[in-house]
């Protein structure tokens, strides 16, 4: 609003009686906003035109349509100015014109109806708006002032007492004002009207020739309008003040026209003077504006004469200042007033060029608060527009803004008062603590007052004595504990201090005859049962204290009483008194206490020493006596044992010994027993669990201290196993006898602490003992954290590098990238080989590849010339001693899968494990199985024992190294060597471009021994790749590299937090029984639907949003306030063991608005009414069972606000559902738990899937209405609870992870790892073993191919073995004995074996595929047509529902038909376990399924996420229609099978209950599908094809 021009309006009045009598003519014409005046003296002169904001024609009667009434003038000018006043601006309206032109009529009007002027109408409208206000936070106040300027003097028109002239002053901020001007508060328009009427009567008017009631003064009516607004958000009040100035100027006049004489002439002269000054001011302001407009910059102009007139001085702000100003120029239409009218028009034309700089009148702090709030509102709208509305919930920023606003609104006086109050509180607190402050407020310390009695403390440490001072105030001073009922003046704590210990009474006594000053007497009154001593004597009644008395309260608090006035009076009486020789301190008080109680310390110590000597002599004599007695008794007992042992042989024991002799162990059984003994001797996972649980509290405390001290270090448990890929450092190995360590056949696994140094980008491993040692140092650092921070702020950063900080360790610039292994068995032949081995980390992640060449050379052979930059080292001589090597090879030997994965109480699948080992053995037998490398053999002529053998190891290239590792170098060594390794030069790594070329050549000379031959047959060379970690703080590029993301766990993808089952309301407490052997497993596919009641009366399934990334992998879109039903469908293969009996209960609860479950929050559990539960019948006799149950769900019964309202944008509602199902022959129900995600819309909202989904899936008829969950049901026997192993597994172990430590609430949900870490570590060990086996197999195949190129094989056994592997499945692989039994002479027997396999395949084709597969196809077809099919989603982003599955406490095991009729005789238990589906998709695409009845193929979309295969109707189907478990199914393929079916690219998958025949699109696609289903089978087929091709 700043920079607005003055609004100017002109108004012409009708003829008055004087003009009518003279028959005057009208010389004014108006057209729109233009006003024209005619010159009556020169009619030929063209008329003069002026343009204004408003031109009002009031010359004619009100009947004229162009007539401008009083209300029209007010609506145009008055209402606009009133609106500016409400906005907080200053407002001014003044009327100008010659005398009798109608100024007062326009401003004041008349009292008749419809004749009111601007001032009355504005005041009336002002109070109407105030009364119409409905906002309780806004309040208004109105004050008015009325004055007139008569002959350059100011008079108050509202206060009759102010008859004299008022003085005009000027304030530096407020500007000109009238001193002692009355400001009267008004509350209604009636008050203003009364005051206005009284003021008008007091105005000076007189009659002239031109006007009978001519105003002889300038009248200024001022309204001070104040608006106060209370802001509830900031708890502040803002205020805006508007000043409304309504001015009625006296008319300009000519003396000859008015005929003024005497007083009237003097009045006119003053009027003209003030109006002339007003004209000069307006002209000067208009000139300033014109200069600025022309030059576009401000130029110094002439002085503006505001002070030449009282009128212009008071209107200075309204003329070009802080005001919104309007001017009404009153015109006379008569030709006899031509000159006055023309002057008025020119006057008004100049005034409209003035510009005023109006601003809102409010406090600067209030303006800043308002602007900040507007800015916050604007930013909130911007965030909501960008979809970031969740950020607005941050309370920290809101509190910061409130704090800033409160500080801005705090006045200086409030700050002073606040400072003073804090000072007073501090003084009072210190005085209460016994610390005094001088009256000047300067130095802080303990001062001895000059008059007041007080107590000072005495301490055993002289430096701590007289540091506390307690005043004895007038009256009663109470001493006691802080938790006493009454407030204690002196608060003490410790043993033997009562809640109310004692009372000091300060009494005034009269003075002596010579002194008229009264003295103060202090009495000490102990409370009942309190221990209080004065000068060493216990007091039980009131006693008078004298200065210097020693007071002991309880056992520890010692004080000296000081009375300054009393001591001064005693010194005056006896000025020659000598000071005591011994100081009165703590020692003096304690010795005095003992003496008064009759205790002599020296005598007491001697007495006690004498007693101790006598007791010692008695003990020695008794010991000698008892030792003789015990020796005699031991001899007697030994004799009794010898005699009884001779007679202890009985016939029963002889029979037992005979029974043992009757069943002798075979060598195989003996080996198994010995292996089992070694396994269980070194079994350690149970002890590892005890260590995890027992040391969790230390780990939690270390993390809490790290967060408190802002160290950026995280601690977590980790399991480390001494393997080839992850050798344990010596500091982590537990103390163990050397003999036991050498004979250990299983790897050592230890619990360590992984220290993530986020500040320096390093990772360290600590032992538990080191953690405890460092934790002690952390506690000390935490205790002195404040002192360390104030003394040396940079100590934290230096400690991390120097090692003085217990949170940090020294770190190396070079970090291990990974390890690789190269086997040397090609040196047996010898043939050169170039290996490409994987660089594997300790976690089993492949970080690159290394190319290494190994070849046997002559002793004098030189390395090939690789060009410049190639390092060619000399020949290194190493030794392989039989004694040294024999003890080393057992430590880090290649371990089998069974040796690494040892889980107590968890059985393994013997089929799968044996098959894997057998297949590996088969591959080994391809070439190495028939090799005998004993000395003297023709194959090993170059490896004669005692000869010198030289071979070359060439490190060629490294590729695919991550770019965060720079300056890569490689070193290698043999397993038994612990001295310096062979190392390459470092190379720069960018992660892009060509591989890193090391080309490091190392010749090695060895004296051949038996241990060397054994080493190259079975052991590898270890290659370690190191690199500069670019995130090292001292690395040159450390600050430019972004921190790499944490590697994802492929075995354990991060699922949604699993919820515990919702407790049942109708069932008894479910106790967990011990499960035994698992004899049968079922894979369950569950469909969850929520149906809503439609207006037609039918329940229609609600739409489900299957967008990727949702926590529950599907969000139900529901209507608020509608009846609903929950439907659950369980799908599984038919089996004789699994029969659903009933649904015991379906409960829902844990309503929340976040995925995580808050266990501490109380929530109502609702049990739903089951309306149906039955098995669905399929029209095609499906081989699958469909069990469906339905329940009624009334969400209003939860009394949850989340369910009873429309869900806000961006929010989701979560609920947990648990179903308790009863199975036949189960002792307790099984529990299925599922987390459900929902969004509630209004009742009438039209819900449809997101637009992106419709565009993606097209306009098909599929609708998303199901959420799936994959479950695994294990049927187990109830285990024997009496075995020692079961009792040991059920022993109670203290879990310290739940113990509270200080600062635990700052860990933000962090928990120490527990049992899941053991399971995860077993997966890592299995992964490392598989990688190791792959490297060994790759080496063997490479060696076989190399030998095949040099010489043809002697026999066909290799081909035959490969052929047999291709003819069998992964699950039915041959045993090592079978593979070694085939020879070239057994071709006919192999053909018979193939015939047998062909017969089996034919039987499967004629029976299984024609019946059982047909049932599956029909069941899948039923899924297409049943109910409403869900809308599809992209399979690439689909992650299956990680439904919350709580293992049922107990449920039995039914397996296959061998249990027969004994099913009911066994107590069985079912166990549900959560299916952890990998997020990695091995293969997805379309496969054709054979439909036997029509002999046609039906396409389905298939996704392979090992070990599961998921079947969909099409590629856009979001709901799983079928599931296959590859770990329990057989994948079969043969060319004879395809020839029999006369269909190419086919293979079969057979489960326990059915078989499925599949067809791929082409040969390559079929190989890809086979590799996804069974990689080993696919590799075997490819290997066989290559062999026959050769």
């Amino acid at each position: 609003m700043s920079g607005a021009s003055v609004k100017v309006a002109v108004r012409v009045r009708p003829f008055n009686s004087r003009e009518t009598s003279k028959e005057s003519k009208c010389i004014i014409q108006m057209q729109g906003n233009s006003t024209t005046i005619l010159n009556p003296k020169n009619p030929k002169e063209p008329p003069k035109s002026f343009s204004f904001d408003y031109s009002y024609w009031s010359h004619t009667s009100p009947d004229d349509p162009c007539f401008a009434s009083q209300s029209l003038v007010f609506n145009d000018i008055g209402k606009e100015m009133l609106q500016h006043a409400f906005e907080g601006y200053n407002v001014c309206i003044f009327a100008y014109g010659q005398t009798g032109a109608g100024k007062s009529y326009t401003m004041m009007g008349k009292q008749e109806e419809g004749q009111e002027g601007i001032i009355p109408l504005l005041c009336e409208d002002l109070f109407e708006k105030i009364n119409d206000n409905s906002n309780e936070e806004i309040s208004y106040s109105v004050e008015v002032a009325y004055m007139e300027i008569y002959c350059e003097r100011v008079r108050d028109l509202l206060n009759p007492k102010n008859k004299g002239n008022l003085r005009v002053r000027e304030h530096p901020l407020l500007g000109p004002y009238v001193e002692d001007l009355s400001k009267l508060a008004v509350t209604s328009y009636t008050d203003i009207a009364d005051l206005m009427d009284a003021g008008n009567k007091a105005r000076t008017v007189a009659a002239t020739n031109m006007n009978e009631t001519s105003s002889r003064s300038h009248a200024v009516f001022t309204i001070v309008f104040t608006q106060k607004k209370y802001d509830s958000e900031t708890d502040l009040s803002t205020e805006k003040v508007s000043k409304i100035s309504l001015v009625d100027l006296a008319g300009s006049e000519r003396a000859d026209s008015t005929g003024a004489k005497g007083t009237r002439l003097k009045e006119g002269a003053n009027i003209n003077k003030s109006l002339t000054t007003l004209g000069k001011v307006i002209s000067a302001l208009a000139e300033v504006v014109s200069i600025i407009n022309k030059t576009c910059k401000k130029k110094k102009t002439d002085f503006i004469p505001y002070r030449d007139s009282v009128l212009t001085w008071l209107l200075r702000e309204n003329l070009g200042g802080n005001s919104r100003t309007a001017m009404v120029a009153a015109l006379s239409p008569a030709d006899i007033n031509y000159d006055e009218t023309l002057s008025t028009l020119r006057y008004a034309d100049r005034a409209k060029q003035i510009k005023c700089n109006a601003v809102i009148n409010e406090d600067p702090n209030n303006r800043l608060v308002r602007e900040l709030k507007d800015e916050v509102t604007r930013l909130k709208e911007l965030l909501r527009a960008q979809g970031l509305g969740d950020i607005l919930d941050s309370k920290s920023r809101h509190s910061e803004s409130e704090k800033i606003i409160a500080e801005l609104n705090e006045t200086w006086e409030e700050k002073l008062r606040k400072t003073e109050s804090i000072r007073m509180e501090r003084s009072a607190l210190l005085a209460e603590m016994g610390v005094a402050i001088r009256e000047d407020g300067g130095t802080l310390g303990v001062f001895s007052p000059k008059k007041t009695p007080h107590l000072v403390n005495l301490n055993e440490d002289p430096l701590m004595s007289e540091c506390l001072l307690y005043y004895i105030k007038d009256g009663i001073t109470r001493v006691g504990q802080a938790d006493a009922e009454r407030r204690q003046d002196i608060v003490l704590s410790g043993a033997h201090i009562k809640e109310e210990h004692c009372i000091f009474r300060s009494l005034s006594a009269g003075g002596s005859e010579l002194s008229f000053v009264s003295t103060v007497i202090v009495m000490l009154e102990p409370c009942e049962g309190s221990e209080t001593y004065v000068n060493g004597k216990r007091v039980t009644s009131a006693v008078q204290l004298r200065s210097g008395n020693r007071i002991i309260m309880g056992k520890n608090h010692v004080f000296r009483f000081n009375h300054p006035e009393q001591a001064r009076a005693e010194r005056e009486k006896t000025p020659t008194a000598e000071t005591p020789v011994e100081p009165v301190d703590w020692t003096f008080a304690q010795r005095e206490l003992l003496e008064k109680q009759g205790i002599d310390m020296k005598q007491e110590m001697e007495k006690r020493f004498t007693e101790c000597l006598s007791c010692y002599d008695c003990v020695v004599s008794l010991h000698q006596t008892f030792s003789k007695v015990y020796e005699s008794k031991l001899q007697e007992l030994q004799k009794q044992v010898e005699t009884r042992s001779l007679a202890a042989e009985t016939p029963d024991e002889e029979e037992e010994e005979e029974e043992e002799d009757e069943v002798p162990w075979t060598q195989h059984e003996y080996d198994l027993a010995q292996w089992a003994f070694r396994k269980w001797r070194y079994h350690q996972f149970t002890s590892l669990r005890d260590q995890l649980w027992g040391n969790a509290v230390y780990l939690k405390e270390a993390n809490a201290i790290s967060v408190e001290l802002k160290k950026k270090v995280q601690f977590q448990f980790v399991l480390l196993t001494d393997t080839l890929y992850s050798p344990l450092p010596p500091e982590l190995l537990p103390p163990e006898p050397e003999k036991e360590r050498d004979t250990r056949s299983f790897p050592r696994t230890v619990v360590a602490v992984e220290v993530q140094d986020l500040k320096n980008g390093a990772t360290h491993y600590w032992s538990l003992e080191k953690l405890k040692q460092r934790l002690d140092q952390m506690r000390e650092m935490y205790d002195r954290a404040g002192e360390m921070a104030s003394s040396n702020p940079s100590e934290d950063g230096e400690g991390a590098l120097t090692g003085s900080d217990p949170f940090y360790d020294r770190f190396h610039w070079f970090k291990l990238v990974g390890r690789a292994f190269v086997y040397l068995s090609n040196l047996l032949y010898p043939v050169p080989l170039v290996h490409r081995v994987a660089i594997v980390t300790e976690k089993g992640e492949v970080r690159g590849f290394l190319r290494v060449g190994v070849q046997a050379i002559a002793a004098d052979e030189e390395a090939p010339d690789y060009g410049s930059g190639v390092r060619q080292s000399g020949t290194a001589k190493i030794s392989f001693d039989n004694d040294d090597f024999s003890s080393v090879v057992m430590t880090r030997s290649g371990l089998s899968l069974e040796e690494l994965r040892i889980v107590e109480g968890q059985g393994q699948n013997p089929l799968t494990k044996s098959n894997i080992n057998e297949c590996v053995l088969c591959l080994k037998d391809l070439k190495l199985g028939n090799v005998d490398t004993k000395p003297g053999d023709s194959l090993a002529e170059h490896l004669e024992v005692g000869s010198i053998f030289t071979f070359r190891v060439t490190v060629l290239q490294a590729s695919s190294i991550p770019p965060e590792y720079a300056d890569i170098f490689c070193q290698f060594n043999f397993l038994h060597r612990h001295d310096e390794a062979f190392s390459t030069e470092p190379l720069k790594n960018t992660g892009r471009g060509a591989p890193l070329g090391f080309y490091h050549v190392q010749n090695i000379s060895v004296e051949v021994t038996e241990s060397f031959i054994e080493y190259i047959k079975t052991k590898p060379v270890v290659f370690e790749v190191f690199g500069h970690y670019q995130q090292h703080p001292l690395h040159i590029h450390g600050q430019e590299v972004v921190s790499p993301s944490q590697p994802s766990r492929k075995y354990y993808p991060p699922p949604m937090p699993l919820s515990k089952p919702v407790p049942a309301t109708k069932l008894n407490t479910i106790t967990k029984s011990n499960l035994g052997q698992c004899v049968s497993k079922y894979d369950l596919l569950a469909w969850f639907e929520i149906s809503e009641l439609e207006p037609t009366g039918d329940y229609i399934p609600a739409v489900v949003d299957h967008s990727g990334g949702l926590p529950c992998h599907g969000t139900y879109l529901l209507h608020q306030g509608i009846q609903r039903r929950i439907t659950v469908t369980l799908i599984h293969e038919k089996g004789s063991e699994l029969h659903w009996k009933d649904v015991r209960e379906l409960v829902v609860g844990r309503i929340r608005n976040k995925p995580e479950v808050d266990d501490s929050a109380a929530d109502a559990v609702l049990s739903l009414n089951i309306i149906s539960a039955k098995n669905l019948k399929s029209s095609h006799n499906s081989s699958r069972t469909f069990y469906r149950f339905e329940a009624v769900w009334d969400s209003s019964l939860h009394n949850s606000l989340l369910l009873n309202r429309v869900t806000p944008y961006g929010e989701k509602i979560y609920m947990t559902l648990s179903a308790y199902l009863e199975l036949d022959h189960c002792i307790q129900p099984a529990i299925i738990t599922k987390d459900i995600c929902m969004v509630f819309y209004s009742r009438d909202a039209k819900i449809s899937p997101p637009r992106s989904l419709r565009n993606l899936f097209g306009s098909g008829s599929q609708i998303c209405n199901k959420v799936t969950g994959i479950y695994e049901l294990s049927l187990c026997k109830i285990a024997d609870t009496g075995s020692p192993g079961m009792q040991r597994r059920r022993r109670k172990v203290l879990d310290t992870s739940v113990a509270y430590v200080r600062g635990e609430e700052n860990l933000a949900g962090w928990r120490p790892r527990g049992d899941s870490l053991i399971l995860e570590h077993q997966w890592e060990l299995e992964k490392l073993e598989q990688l190791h086996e792959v490297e060994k197999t790759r080496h063997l195949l490479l060696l076989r191919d190399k030998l095949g190129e040099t010489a043809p094989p002697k026999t066909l056994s290799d081909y035959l073995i490969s052929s047999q592997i291709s003819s069998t499945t992964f699950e039915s692989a041959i045993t090592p004995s079978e593979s070694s039994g085939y020879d070239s002479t057994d071709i006919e027997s192999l053909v018979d074996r193939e015939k047998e396999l062909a017969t089996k395949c034919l039987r499967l084709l004629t029976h299984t595929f024609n019946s059982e597969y047909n049932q599956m196809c029909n069941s899948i077809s039923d899924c297409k047509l049943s109910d409403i099919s869900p809308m599809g989603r992209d399979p690439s982003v689909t992650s299956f529902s990680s439904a919350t599955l709580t293992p049922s406490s107990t449920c039995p095991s039914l397996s296959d038909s061998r249990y027969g009729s004994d099913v009911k005789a066994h107590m069985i238990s079912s166990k549900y376990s959560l299916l952890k589906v990998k997020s990695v998709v091995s293969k997805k695409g379309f496969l054709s399924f054979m439909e036997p009845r029509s002999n046609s193929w039906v396409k389905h979309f298939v996704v392979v996420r090992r070990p599961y295969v998921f079947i969909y109707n099409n590629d856009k189907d979001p709901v799983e229609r079928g599931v296959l478990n590859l770990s329990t199914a057989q994948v079969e393929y043969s060319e004879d099978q395809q020839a029999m079916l006369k269909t190419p690219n086919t293979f079969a998958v057979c489960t326990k209950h059915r078989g499925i025949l599949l067809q791929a699109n082409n040969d390559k696609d079929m190989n890809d599908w086979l590799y996804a289903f069974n990689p080993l089978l696919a590799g075997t087929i490819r290997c066989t094809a290559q062999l026959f091709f050769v």
Side-chain angles (χ1 to χ4, degrees), residues 26 88 139 142 338 348 417 441 454 523 525 632 681 709 772 820 887 920 945 962 967 1070 1167 1173 1322 1324 1455 1583:
C26 181
S139 61
V142 181
Y338 170 75
R417 287 195 298 270
H454 57 275
M523 303 292 294
E525 298 180 7
S632 61
R681 181 183 179 187
L709 300 182
K772 296 176 182 178
S887 62
V920 173
V945 176
D967 300 332
I1070 298 176
S1167 177
Q1322 293 165 1
E1324 291 177 354
S1455 183
C1583 178

Side-chain angles (χ1 to χ4, degrees), residues 383 391-392 394-404:
L383 288 175
I391 302 178
L392 300 178
S394 177
K395 295 183 179 179
S396 59
R397 296 185 181 177
H398 180 65
S399 60
E400 291 175 2
S401 301
E402 288 183 346
K403 195 172 182 181
I404 293 174

Side-chain angles (χ1 to χ4, degrees), residues 820-1032:
F821 304 100
V822 174
Y823 284 87
L824 306 176
S825 57
N826 61 305
L827 299 178
L828 296 170
Y829 292 92
V831 292
L833 284 183
V834 177
H835 302 270
R836 184 177 183 268
V837 291
I839 303 172
V840 183
T841 66
E842 297 176 349
K843 297 292 185 180
E845 300 173 354
V846 178
R847 289 297 181 91
F849 297 91
L850 191 68
R851 295 186 72 243
V852 179
V854 179
Q855 60 179 342
I857 61 173
D860 55 350
E861 183 177 346
E862 297 182 355
D865 188 6
Y866 291 99
S868 60
V870 178
R871 179 183 177 186
Q872 302 181 6
S873 302
T875 302
K877 296 183 179 180
I878 62 175
S879 61
F880 284 79
D881 296 335
N882 294 333
D883 297 338
D884 297 338
F885 180 71
S886 61
S887 62
V888 175
V889 295
M890 295 298 295
T891 304
R892 293 177 183 171
S893 60
L895 302 174
S896 66
L897 184 62
E898 177 66 21
E899 293 169 340
L900 281 178
R901 184 168 181 175
I902 307 169
V903 186
E904 181 182 2
Q906 177 178 345
Q908 301 294 332
N909 189 342
L911 253 177
T912 305
K913 193 175 311 301
S914 62
N915 290 336
I916 293 176
N917 294 331
E918 291 166 4
C919 292
V920 173
L921 289 173
C922 291
L923 291 173
K924 289 182 180 179
D925 289 340
L926 292 178
K927 282 297 176 184
L928 300 181
N930 301 325
V931 174
D932 189 5
T933 56
K934 294 181 180 180
D937 201 347
S938 60
L939 183 61
E941 293 177 355
H942 58 288
L943 295 176
E944 295 182 359
V945 176
S947 62
I948 302 299
F949 177 69
T950 305
F951 62 96
R952 175 178 298 153
V953 177
T954 305
V955 184
L956 298 173
Q957 295 173 338
S959 60
S960 302
I961 303 295
E964 58 260 26
Y965 295 97
D967 300 332
I968 301 296
F969 74 93
C970 175
Q971 67 181 23
F972 62 93
N973 208 339
F974 296 85
L975 290 178
H976 71 290
R977 295 183 78 246
H978 302 288
D979 50 359
E980 184 179 358
F982 306 103
S983 178
T984 67
E985 293 293 334
L987 300 176
K988 293 292 183 181
N989 175 40
T990 60
R992 300 182 298 272
L996 302 177
F998 292 109
Y999 303 110
H1000 176 89
V1001 179
Q1002 179 66 56
N1003 295 338
I1004 300 174
S1005 178
V1006 183
E1007 182 181 356
V1008 178
T1009 61
E1010 294 183 2
S1011 61
F1012 173 70
I1013 297 175
E1014 182 65 23
Y1015 189 97
I1016 63 177
K1017 287 175 61 179
T1018 58
K1019 305 301 175 189
V1021 177
V1022 181
F1023 288 79
E1024 296 178 326
V1025 180
F1026 293 86
H1028 263 161
Y1029 194 49
Q1030 291 195 9
Q1031 289 177 335
H1032 197 289

Side-chain angles (χ1 to χ4, degrees), residues 365-658:
N365 290 337
N366 294 338
R367 182 187 298 112
L368 181 58
V369 171
R370 177 172 52 81
E371 292 175 353
L372 287 175
K373 288 183 62 179
D374 294 341
E375 179 68 14
V376 169
T377 304
R378 187 185 67 81
L379 292 176
K380 284 183 179 180
E381 295 298 332
L382 183 60
L383 288 175
R384 289 192 179 97
Q386 297 295 330
L388 301 175
D390 295 340
I391 302 178
L392 300 178
D393 297 334
S394 177
K395 295 183 179 179
S396 59
R397 296 185 181 177
H398 180 65
S399 60
E400 291 175 2
S401 301
E402 288 183 346
K403 195 172 182 181
I404 293 174
I405 292 173
E407 291 177 356
L408 290 175
N409 286 276
E410 192 173 12
T411 62
W412 180 251
E413 291 77 8
E414 291 175 348
K415 291 180 180 178
L416 291 177
R417 287 195 298 270
K418 186 176 180 180
T419 304
E420 181 64 19
S421 64
I422 293 175
R423 188 187 69 80
M424 296 297 293
E425 291 177 1
R426 183 172 63 252
S427 301
L429 183 60
L430 292 174
E432 186 175 326
M433 294 171 59
V435 181
I437 301 179
R438 286 181 177 174
E439 295 180 356
D440 58 359
T443 308
L444 174 67
V446 179
F447 303 98
S448 178
K450 296 180 179 180
K451 296 183 180 180
T452 309
H454 57 275
L455 300 175
V456 294
N457 74 309
L458 299 178
N459 195 279
E460 186 176 6
D461 186 358
L463 297 178
M464 298 296 293
S465 294
E466 300 187 11
C467 290
L468 296 178
L469 185 147
Y470 297 97
Y471 292 103
I472 306 299
K473 63 182 182 178
D474 294 338
I476 296 178
T477 302
R478 302 181 183 275
V479 180
Q481 293 185 356
D483 54 355
E485 295 182 358
R486 285 186 292 186
R487 182 181 178 274
Q488 303 298 307
D489 300 304
I490 300 176
V491 178
L492 301 178
S493 61
H496 306 285
I497 297 295
K498 302 295 183 180
E499 292 185 356
E500 293 185 1
H501 197 81
C502 63
I503 297 174
F504 291 90
R505 294 184 184 272
S506 180
L507 307 175
S508 296
S512 62
E513 297 178 357
L514 300 177
S515 176
F516 296 96
V517 180
S518 62
T519 59
V520 177
I521 298 175
V522 179
M523 303 292 294
L524 173 61
E525 298 180 7
C527 296
E528 183 180 357
S530 65
E531 294 186 15
T532 306
Y533 302 88
V534 177
N535 295 336
K537 182 179 180 181
R538 183 168 182 175
V539 294
T540 57
S541 60
V543 62
Q544 180 179 350
L545 299 178
R546 302 192 63 82
S547 182
N549 288 158
R550 282 75 60 198
I551 302 174
I552 301 178
M553 300 180 191
K555 297 294 185 182
N556 303 317
H557 298 280
V558 183
F559 299 95
R560 185 177 68 242
F561 173 72
N562 290 340
H563 197 323
E565 292 183 349
Q566 192 180 70
R568 193 180 304 112
E570 290 180 357
R571 283 196 301 269
E572 291 175 356
K573 290 181 181 180
T574 57
T576 60
E578 297 180 357
T579 57
V581 178
E582 184 178 1
V584 180
D585 55 1
W586 184 87
T587 305
F588 179 82
Q590 293 291 339
R591 186 167 61 253
E592 181 183 40
L593 175 64
L594 294 175
E595 290 176 354
K596 290 295 178 67
Q597 293 181 354
I599 299 175
D600 189 352
M601 293 299 297
K602 293 182 179 180
Q603 294 180 359
E604 189 70 20
M605 294 297 295
E606 292 177 356
K607 182 179 178 181
R608 295 288 177 90
F609 181 72
T610 306
E611 292 178 355
C612 290
L613 287 177
S614 61
C615 291
Y616 176 75
D617 295 338
C618 293
V619 169
V620 171
S621 61
L622 288 175
H623 174 70
Q624 294 176 355
T625 304
F626 283 124
S627 62
K628 293 180 181 179
V629 173
Y630 288 150
E631 288 178 359
S632 61
K633 287 185 178 181
L634 285 174
Q635 292 176 359
E636 293 177 359
L637 290 173
Q638 186 174 1
K639 293 179 180 180
Q640 292 178 4
V641 170
E642 291 177 355
T643 54
R644 290 184 180 181
S645 61
L646 296 175
E649 297 179 358
T650 60
D652 296 336
E653 294 180 356
E654 293 177 357
E655 292 177 1
E656 291 180 357
E657 292 179 358
E658 292 176 358

Side-chain angles (χ1 to χ4, degrees), residues 1315-1332:
D1315 295 348
S1316 62
L1317 179 62
I1318 300 177
L1319 184 61
E1320 182 179 340
H1321 184 65
Q1322 293 165 1
W1323 278 106
E1324 291 177 354
L1325 291 179
E1326 181 178 350
K1327 187 177 180 181
L1328 290 174
E1329 175 61 19
Q1330 291 175 354
L1331 289 171
H1332 191 197

Side-chain angles (χ1 to χ4, degrees), residues 1227-1238:
I1227 60 176
Q1228 286 186 346
I1231 309 173
I1232 297 180
T1233 301
K1234 173 70 176 175
D1235 283 324
I1236 293 176
C1237 179
M1238 303 170 290

